[in-house]
Amino acid sequence: MRAQLIERARVDDRIIGAALTGSAAHDAEDRWSDIDLFFGVADGVEPEAVLGDWSDFAYRELGAIHHFDLRGGSAVYQAFLLGDSLEVDLGFTAATTFGPVGEGAFRTVFGAAAERRSAPADPGHLVGLAWHHVLHARVSIERGALWQAEHWISGIRDHTLALACLRLGLPAAYAKGADRLPAEITEPVGEALVRALDRAELARALGAVTRALLRELRETDPRRAVDLEKPLLDLAALS
């Protein structure tokens, strides 16, 4: 199917380049991998128009049963689920931005790619989301909103792991680097998994994840850790 899609791109005059992204771009593909393709669109052509035609093709010829849209910078994407459970992700961008971004995997199949563009990570944003989630987890527990509390606690875990991945030079998005983190980081975070939807267990998990977050902050941003330690521990100190 990937070969069929690439061949279709070669004969589409509006497409000036194609690239593999995802696991296939760095030889890490297995039987569970998606098909990830990224296309450059010729000057004067709107990527959305090309995407619309390809979306119709996916439903008509590939057996797509649903899709959702994504945007990333100047690129537009659609992620399709096919009837046999294969996911096909197609991205389209202007010719001037057809190229790799940040450390994302990218392998040109045809056409000329632009130079790699930087996409600097912002640990400060993750830190902000983390303290926000500690606050709202505490509020949710106090209100008896147990599912909402679990949602916030899970988010704190995710952000703590992402901060550790950034610090150690691992992929941070979608927990792609989390399984390569050392046990001294992941084991304390694992203690924050919520085991039951009751107030006592949620309070325990919130305490565990807050301590894991502070431990990571001391490595990632020691000055910020000093500022946040007391308010975060106060928020996590449920009786």
Side-chain angles (χ1 to χ4, degrees), residues 14-19 38-42 91-99 110:
R14 301 168 298 178
I15 294 178
I16 53 83
F38 192 54
F39 301 113
V41 176
F92 297 81
T93 192
T96 54
T97 53
F98 173 63
F110 69 85

Side-chain angles (χ1 to χ4, degrees), residues 79-98:
F80 298 92
L81 178 65
L82 307 191
D84 60 1
S85 299
L86 177 66
E87 181 181 339
V88 176
D89 298 336
L90 303 178
F92 297 81
T93 192
T96 54
T97 53
F98 173 63

Side-chain angles (χ1 to χ4, degrees), residues 147-169:
W147 279 108
Q148 191 175 32
E150 193 281 333
H151 166 81
W152 294 123
I153 291 168
S154 293
I156 304 163
R157 290 201 319 269
D158 294 342
H159 298 322
T160 301
L161 293 173
L163 283 167
C165 286
L166 288 177
R167 177 169 60 87
L168 297 178

Side-chain angles (χ1 to χ4, degrees), residues 134 226-236:
V134 173
V226 171
D227 294 338
L228 290 173
E229 181 167 0
K230 185 180 186 304
L232 288 182
L233 289 177
D234 286 348
L235 286 169

